[in-house]
């Protein structure tokens, strides 16, 4: 076998690109889950973000406006879920699944006239002198702004959740919504906000797929990334820093799979495409086998509907 | 002394009940004022109105002469009224400091707050570590957190709803010390309880509620427990229980029962051993969270353990599930009525079926015999005076006390060999509690063996033949309940399992 075509630095650069949509969607979902909401509609919000981002970018010619449009689209469609689950008390699991299917259908409808169009190019952020520096320059300074933003976002979420009063209140809603309510916090409003943040992040991740990763619009192009993001939140046991670890690991598997295919190793492509999902399942099983640890880390009110009783 | 809070003819109705009917009373600055009454007398509704959780239908309140009508708790707190609830509003996965921050409207930064928590808790003799997780703390310590949270906001009126029901006698003394110190500093305390001795020991004035009305006000120091009780229940106390105790053969034996708790905040059982005889009621005391739930789970069969650790009539049954144990005569009633002892949305009849199927033969061929099931449910309702429109009513529609009578009655009427109950009279009013205790006594008199796990020491002293304490998952050696002093029990609850072992069973 010829491994010389496998360039470690190039592979890392590639895997970070592949991991970014997962990272963005996962960090948004983490915030929603920390507030006690299980939103299984991540895939639907991503595909909506992918199509609204794509439409905005091709119409305006500005990729940055496209990313904003993607985030806005994801946030808007998430308000539907938020309204249904928070104010009409619909079941979160069923509503989340419905959101995914609704999002896939709506996105296909919206994107009918955008097949086969090239979006404006998203340039990488050039740092004069550093970006061309061998190895390190390539590893650290060869990315587009969204990748830097995604890492910053993880830090910001960590800081918000652990260092600010707002973050503490949000976590309190996820731990014991009755107690939070009796202390005078508006649980429904806080969760509404958390769901919208999750939607915006997922939409941004979707726009990254359609504007940078592929880059074009095709139906169903997010291809299960939203589900991986959901799994990563559990894999990370609701800790922001571990979300980065998880996302980059899964990005790595995706890239490795492509590289192995390029090397012509005779494993059926189907098996390789399966690996991220199989690893997800294995990791989830290992994590939840230890009931004690799993139940400590999970927000205690995750997925439970809150009814204000007085 | 001058008046701090004046309540003028407050009324509040709920569908079907007048919770408060023209209630008027006044609290002086710096006094400890008792609010006394049975379950359902309207104490909780009244304080919820004072704390802004419930809006009165009519009437008014004056705080230091100014009109006072808090629309929500945060406004009440701003006016200097704070409250410690019977059920704490704490977050188990957060630290002490984080919990306190959440309850404050203008919390200082973390370092400042931690220092403040340490200082205030030391001042009032309730030491607290701001960085500990609530989940790792005992119920008594959790109450401290609630108290300190209130004290940090410098209240003028401090409301406490049945604060001692979960404390050891020693902890109660510490709490009373704190309350007296607060009162000396000019803070008025509204103390809700139905424990008469506490009110006699602690309170300056008392307002007594019955059926939502003020029936008396008095100075406890001039009263006796009996006279207070008579004002409270409107009749004479008549609880007499026979205490002839002549145990039979050993029927249930636990040997070195070890069990890892499934709850990350629970307490694992360690080497629990006991021998229970026919006709014996063993009272197991101890502060909540010391392994009570785990012990019930181990005995009921919800958690399986090594067969030899539990022997029923000589047979090792540790590995059997609940139904197999029921078949053999070991029945149990857990503490949590809704969701554990009874399925909330299912009818009383269906709930009766759930545990009575085997011993009552309610589904002979796998098909439910509806007539027999309804009859069994009606029998429970009748024998235990469960107030319900019928047996097709959902369990959650019953009041706590009525449902409790139902879940205890359901097990008692299945004629168990051994019955294990956890907190049998929790949240039940005095008359119903007496009925439940009487039923358990009768069961033992008829030859069954009973284990009563409870946090209410008075109840255990009244009902038990033998007594033991669960502390940190270990059980003290059971000994005759007669002649035990409160001090001895307190020591055992503190974990000194050998300290009171001189009088052996």
């Amino acid at each position: 076998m010829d491994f010389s075509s496998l360039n470690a630095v190039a592979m890392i650069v590639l895997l970070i690109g592949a991991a970014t949509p997962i990272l963005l969607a996962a960090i948004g979902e983490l915030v929603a889950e920390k507030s006690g909401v299980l939103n299984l509609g991540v895939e639907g919000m991503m595909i909506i973000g992918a199509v609204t981002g794509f439409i905005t970018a091709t119409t305006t010619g500005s990729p940055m406006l496209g990313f904003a449009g993607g985030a806005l689209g994801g946030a808007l469609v998430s308000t539907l879920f938020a309204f249904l689950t928070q104010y009409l008390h619909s079941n979160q699991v069923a509503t989340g699944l419905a959101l995914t299917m609704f999002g896939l259908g709506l996105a296909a409808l919206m994107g009918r006239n955008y097949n086969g169009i090239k979006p404006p190019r998203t340039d990488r952020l050039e740092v004069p002198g550093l970006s061309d520096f061998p190895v390190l320059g390539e590893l650290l300074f060869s990315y587009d702004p969204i990748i830097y933003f995604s890492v910053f976002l993880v830090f910001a979420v960590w800081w918000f959740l652990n260092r600010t009063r707002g973050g503490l209140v949000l976590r309190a809603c996820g731990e014991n919504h009755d107690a939070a309510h009796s202390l005078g916090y508006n649980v429904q409003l806080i969760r509404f906000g958390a769901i919208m943040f999750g939607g915006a992040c997922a939409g941004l991740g979707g726009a990254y797929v359609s504007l940078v990763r592929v880059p074009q619009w095709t139906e169903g192009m997010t291809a299960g990334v939203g589900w991986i993001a959901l799994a990563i939140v559990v894999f990370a046991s609701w800790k922001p820093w571990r979300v980065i670890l998880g996302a980059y690991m899964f990005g790595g598997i995706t890239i490795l799979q492509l590289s192995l295919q390029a090397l012509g190793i005779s494993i059926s492509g189907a098996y390789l495409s399966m690996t991220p999902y199989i690893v997800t399942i294995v990791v989830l099983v290992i994590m939840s086998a230890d009931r004690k640890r799993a139940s400590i880390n999970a927000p205690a009110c995750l997925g439970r509907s809150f009814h204000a009783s007085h | 002394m001058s008046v701090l809070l004046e309540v003028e003819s407050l009324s509040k109705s709920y569908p079907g009940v007048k919770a408060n009917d023209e209630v008027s009373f006044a609290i002086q600055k710096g006094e400890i004022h008792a609010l006394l009454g049975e379950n359902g007398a309207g104490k909780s509704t009244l304080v919820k109105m004072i704390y802004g959780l419930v809006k009165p239908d009519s009437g008014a309140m004056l705080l230091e002469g100014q009109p006072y009508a808090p629309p929500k708790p945060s406004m009440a707190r701003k006016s200097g009224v704070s409250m410690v609830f019977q059920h704490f509003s704490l977050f188990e996965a957060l630290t002490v400091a984080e919990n306190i921050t959440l309850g404050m409207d203008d919390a200082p930064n973390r370092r400042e707050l931690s220092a403040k928590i340490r200082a205030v808790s030391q001042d009032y003799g309730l030491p607290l570590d701001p960085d500990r997780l609530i989940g790792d703390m005992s119920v008594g310590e959790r109450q401290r957190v609630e108290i300190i949270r209130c004290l940090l906001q410098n209240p003028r009126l401090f409301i406490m709803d049945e604060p001692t029901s979960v404390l050891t006698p020693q902890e109660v003394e510490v709490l009373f010390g704190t309350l007296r110190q607060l009162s000396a500093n000019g803070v008025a305390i509204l103390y809700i309880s139905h424990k008469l001795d506490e009110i006699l020991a602690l309170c300056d004035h008392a307002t007594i509620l019955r059926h939502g009305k003020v029936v008396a006000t008095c100075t406890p120091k001039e009263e006796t427990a009996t006279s207070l009780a008579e004002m409270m229940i409107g009749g004479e106390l008549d609880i007499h229980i026979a205490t002839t105790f002549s145990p039979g053969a050993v029927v249930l034996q636990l040997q070195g029962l070890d069990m890892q708790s499934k709850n990350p905040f629970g307490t694992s059982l360690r080497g629990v051993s006991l021998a229970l005889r026919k006709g014996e009621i063993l009272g197991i005391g101890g502060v909540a969270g010391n392994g009570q739930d785990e012990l019930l789970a181990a005995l009921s069969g919800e958690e399986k353990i090594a067969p030899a650790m539990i022997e029923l009539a000589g047979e090792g049954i540790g590995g059997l599930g609940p139904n197999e144990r029921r078949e053999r005569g070991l029945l149990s009633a857990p503490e949590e009525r809704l969701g554990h002892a009874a399925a909330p949305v299912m009818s009383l009849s269906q709930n009766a079926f759930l545990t009575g199927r085997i011993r009552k033969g309610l589904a002979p061929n796998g098909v439910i015999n509806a007539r027999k099931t309804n009859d069994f449910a009606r029998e429970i309702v009748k024998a235990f005076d469960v107030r319900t429109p019928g047996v097709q009513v959902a369990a959650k529609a019953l009041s706590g006390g009525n449902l409790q009578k139902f879940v205890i009655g359901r097990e008692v009427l299945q004629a168990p060999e051994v019955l294990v109950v956890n907190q049998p009279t929790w949240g039940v009013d005095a008359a119903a509690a007496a009925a439940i205790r009487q039923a358990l006594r009768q069961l033992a008199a008829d030859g069954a063996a009973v284990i009563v796990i409870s946090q209410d020491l008075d109840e255990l002293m009244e009902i038990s033949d033998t007594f033991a304490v669960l502390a940190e998952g270990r059980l003290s050696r059971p000994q005759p309940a007669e002649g035990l002093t409160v001090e001895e029990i307190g020591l055992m609850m503190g974990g000194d399992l050998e300290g009171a072992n001189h009088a052996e069973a």
Side-chain angles (χ1 to χ4, degrees):
Chain A
M1 258 181 287
D2 178 20
F3 282 97
S4 62
S5 65
L6 286 182
N7 176 340
V9 172
M11 273 182 67
I12 290 173
V13 171
L14 277 174
L15 89 80
I16 288 177
T20 295
I22 309 179
L23 179 59
L24 284 166
I27 198 71
E29 176 67 10
L30 181 135
V31 171
E33 293 196 8
K34 270 288 181 189
S35 81
V37 179
L38 181 65
N39 185 352
L40 294 184
V42 180
E43 180 79 7
M45 301 186 298
M46 281 190 93
I47 194 84
I48 289 288
V51 75
T52 53
F54 191 85
I55 293 172
T56 318
T58 47
T59 319
T60 62
S62 153
M64 284 306 130
L65 280 178
F67 289 120
L72 190 69
L76 276 180
V77 76
S78 75
T79 58
L80 186 67
F81 173 87
F83 180 71
L84 287 171
T85 56
Q86 297 311 300
Y87 292 100
L88 303 181
H89 306 296
S90 70
N91 179 294
Q92 291 181 8
V93 170
T95 311
L97 291 174
L99 181 66
T100 287
M101 288 182 258
F102 172 72
L104 287 168
L106 182 66
L109 184 70
M110 291 168 75
R112 265 180 320 178
N113 300 325
Y114 292 87
N115 286 321
I117 300 177
K118 273 245 156 247
R121 233 179 90 81
T122 308
D123 291 319
R124 66 178 201 171
L125 210 60
E126 293 285 346
V127 183
L130 288 176
S131 296
D132 300 322
F133 204 76
V135 187
L136 263 185
E138 228 178 312
L139 272 180
L140 294 175
F141 302 107
S142 65
Y143 306 109
D144 56 71
I146 299 300
I147 287 181
Y148 296 111
F149 178 72
S150 70
V151 176
F152 166 77
L153 196 62
V154 172
F155 170 78
V157 163
W158 169 84
W159 183 80
F160 172 74
L161 287 177
N162 294 297
R163 287 285 180 271
T164 69
R165 186 182 169 80
L168 180 59
V169 171
L170 186 138
R171 281 189 291 145
C173 290
E175 285 302 331
N176 184 345
H177 50 216
D178 293 316
H181 173 73
S182 75
L183 288 173
Y185 296 110
N186 190 333
V187 176
Q188 284 151 322
L189 197 66
I190 289 161
R191 287 187 172 169
F192 205 105
I195 292 168
M196 283 186 69
F197 177 79
C201 289
L204 184 60
Y208 193 79
V209 175
S210 65
L211 295 179
V212 181
R213 290 288 302 152
V214 177
Q216 58 173 337
W217 165 251
T218 44
E219 257 185 68
M221 67 184 305
T222 46
V225 169
W227 298 110
I228 296 270
L230 272 166
I232 283 184
V233 177
V234 182
F235 167 83
S237 55
W238 292 271
K239 290 190 168 68
W241 290 114
R242 290 203 205 153
V243 167
I244 289 202
L245 186 75
Y248 285 2
M249 211 174 81
F250 283 101
I253 293 173
T254 315
I255 294 305
L256 190 69
Q257 164 210 330
L258 293 175
S259 312
L260 287 177
Q261 274 174 338
L263 279 177
I265 292 174
S266 59
I267 304 173
S268 158
Y271 289 112
L272 290 169
S273 311
M274 274 185 233
T275 42
Y277 301 90
I278 291 172
V279 171
T280 304
I281 292 170
V282 170
V283 167
L284 289 182
V285 167
I286 294 170
M287 295 244 346
S288 48
D290 189 346
R291 247 172 92 180
K292 277 197 163 183
R293 267 193 50 214
S295 53
I296 285 183
N297 288 328
C301 281
L302 182 60
R304 281 175 44 201
S305 189
F306 172 70
H307 297 256
S309 55
H310 43 243
Chain B
M1 275 200 276
S2 61
V3 175
L4 176 69
L5 178 77
E6 226 177 324
V7 172
E8 285 170 1
S9 49
L10 276 189
S11 294
K12 176 75 192 175
S13 297
Y14 291 111
V17 266
K18 236 177 171 181
N20 277 176
D21 187 5
E22 305 271 318
V23 171
S24 301
F25 73 105
I27 302 169
Q28 311 289 322
K29 279 183 192 161
E31 74 163 340
I32 305 183
H33 192 108
L35 195 56
L36 188 59
E38 288 191 273
N39 286 103
K43 294 169 297 187
S44 300
T45 308
L46 182 57
V47 292
K48 278 182 182 166
M49 291 193 284
I50 298 175
Y51 190 55
L53 272 170
V54 170
K55 238 177 116 84
D57 294 337
S58 64
M61 290 181 275
L62 293 173
L63 190 69
E64 286 194 297
Q66 302 296 314
Y68 169 72
K72 54 182 183 183
S74 61
M75 298 306 288
R77 289 198 292 265
K78 238 176 217 137
S79 313
V81 175
S82 30
M83 175 160 175
V84 172
F85 290 91
Q86 201 177 350
H87 304 286
F88 309 142
S89 31
L90 293 175
F91 305 91
E92 295 206 340
L94 304 182
T95 65
V96 170
E98 286 175 329
N99 268 281
I100 290 179
T101 309
L102 282 167
M104 291 176 77
D105 299 312
D106 47 352
N109 70 41
R110 297 210 295 173
R111 213 164 295 138
E112 219 176 292
L113 182 67
S114 292
K116 249 181 153 172
I117 292 169
R118 283 212 175 82
V120 172
S121 63
Q122 288 295 341
D123 283 353
Y124 283 98
L126 304 169
L128 267 184
D129 176 0
D131 299 321
R132 272 183 75 193
L133 278 184
I134 299 291
D136 298 336
M137 298 171 85
S138 75
V139 183
E141 289 173 306
R142 292 179 193 201
Q143 187 184 51
R144 284 183 192 180
V145 179
E146 290 267 6
I147 294 174
I148 298 299
R149 168 152 83 186
C150 291
L151 295 186
L152 282 172
Q153 309 186 60
N154 302 316
R156 289 187 285 174
L157 174 62
F158 187 41
I159 308 172
M160 294 206 84
D161 189 359
E162 307 215 354
T164 59
S165 51
V166 291
L167 302 183
T168 65
Q170 279 82 355
E171 286 175 321
V172 170
E173 272 314 306
V174 173
L175 174 68
F176 281 11
T178 306
L179 294 180
R180 288 195 185 102
Q181 192 182 342
L182 271 172
S183 149
N185 293 350
V187 178
I189 294 158
L190 184 57
Y191 188 89
I192 303 170
S193 181
H194 53 226
K195 291 191 179 164
L196 306 170
D197 51 335
E198 289 179 359
I199 285 167
L200 290 173
L202 184 71
C203 299
D204 303 313
H205 286 98
T207 297
I208 296 156
L209 286 180
R210 190 167 74 230
H211 300 311
K213 286 184 185 159
V214 176
V215 291
T217 48
C218 63
T219 306
K221 297 210 165 55
E222 297 162 2
E223 302 288 335
T224 65
T226 322
S227 65
L228 281 180
E230 282 167 11
M231 286 187 246
M232 188 167 93
I233 64 173
E236 298 213 345
L237 274 178
D238 182 25
I239 299 167
H240 176 72
I241 280 166
T243 48
T244 47
F245 172 48
S246 48
V250 169
V251 54
L252 180 79
Q253 195 151 19
L254 305 190
Q255 275 157 346
L257 195 166
D258 287 311
M259 192 185 85
Q260 193 70 27
S261 177
K262 286 286 192 294
N263 173 355
F265 301 119
T267 306
S268 299
L269 296 176
R270 288 180 288 164
V272 172
S273 297
L274 62 86
L276 190 68
R277 294 157 293 185
K278 285 186 175 183
E280 175 177 352
I281 295 188
L282 168 64
I284 296 183
V287 179
N290 273 288
Q292 283 90 343
D293 294 343
E294 288 77 8
L295 181 60
L296 189 110
L299 285 169
S300 70
E302 285 170 63
E303 297 292 343
K304 291 179 185 170
I305 43 178
M309 285 181 182
I310 304 181
E311 277 186 14
L312 182 69
E315 183 194 2
I317 59 160
L320 301 184
N323 284 334
E324 289 153 310
R325 295 191 192 191
R326 288 184 179 280
E327 228 172 319
R328 288 162 176 76
L330 172 56
L331 273 55
S332 55
E335 171 185 3
E336 185 69 36
R337 290 184 281 259
L338 281 176
H340 197 179
V345 295
M346 293 176 90
S347 71
L348 292 183
S349 179
Q350 287 167 325
N351 273 296
F353 175 85
L354 286 176
T355 77
R357 173 176 64 89
I358 293 168
R359 289 184 77 78
K360 284 286 176 184
L362 300 179
N365 310 310
V367 179
I368 299 172
N369 184 333
R371 193 180 47 79
K372 237 175 150 180
T373 304
N374 287 336
D375 286 347
F376 177 47
R378 276 188 213 109
E379 188 190 343
I380 301 166
V381 166
K382 188 150 177 272
F384 281 81
D385 187 29
V386 180
R387 313 272 167 84
T388 170
V391 294
Q392 300 308 335
V393 170
K396 68 173 181 185
L398 266 61
S399 76
N402 270 312
L403 186 59
Q404 185 67 29
K405 286 193 273 186
F406 184 83
V407 298
I408 298 284
R410 179 178 64 179
E411 307 307 325
V412 168
L413 290 182
Q414 292 178 44
E417 306 285 328
V418 178
L419 178 62
V420 185
V421 292
N422 190 4
Q423 297 274 63
T425 62
W426 184 73
V428 172
D429 69 46
I436 288 173
R437 285 177 207 140
Q438 182 61 46
L440 293 174
R441 277 278 20 143
Q442 189 57 46
L443 191 66
D446 293 343
V450 181
I451 295 179
V452 179
I453 305 170
S454 175
Q455 259 105 73
D456 184 344
L457 277 181
D458 297 330
E459 166 171 287
L460 290 176
M461 287 298 103
E462 180 188 321
I463 192 174
S464 311
D465 301 312
T466 50
F467 179 84
V469 164
L470 254 186
E472 291 169 12
R474 292 184 300 148
L475 188 75
S476 70
R477 187 194 302 236
Q479 49 194 303
E482 226 177 317
L484 273 181
T485 65
V486 172
E487 282 71 29
E488 284 173 322
I489 295 169
L491 281 173
M492 289 157 82
M493 287 170 116
D496 179 7
L497 301 179
E498 307 307 316
N501 258 357
H502 58 269
E504 295 197 352

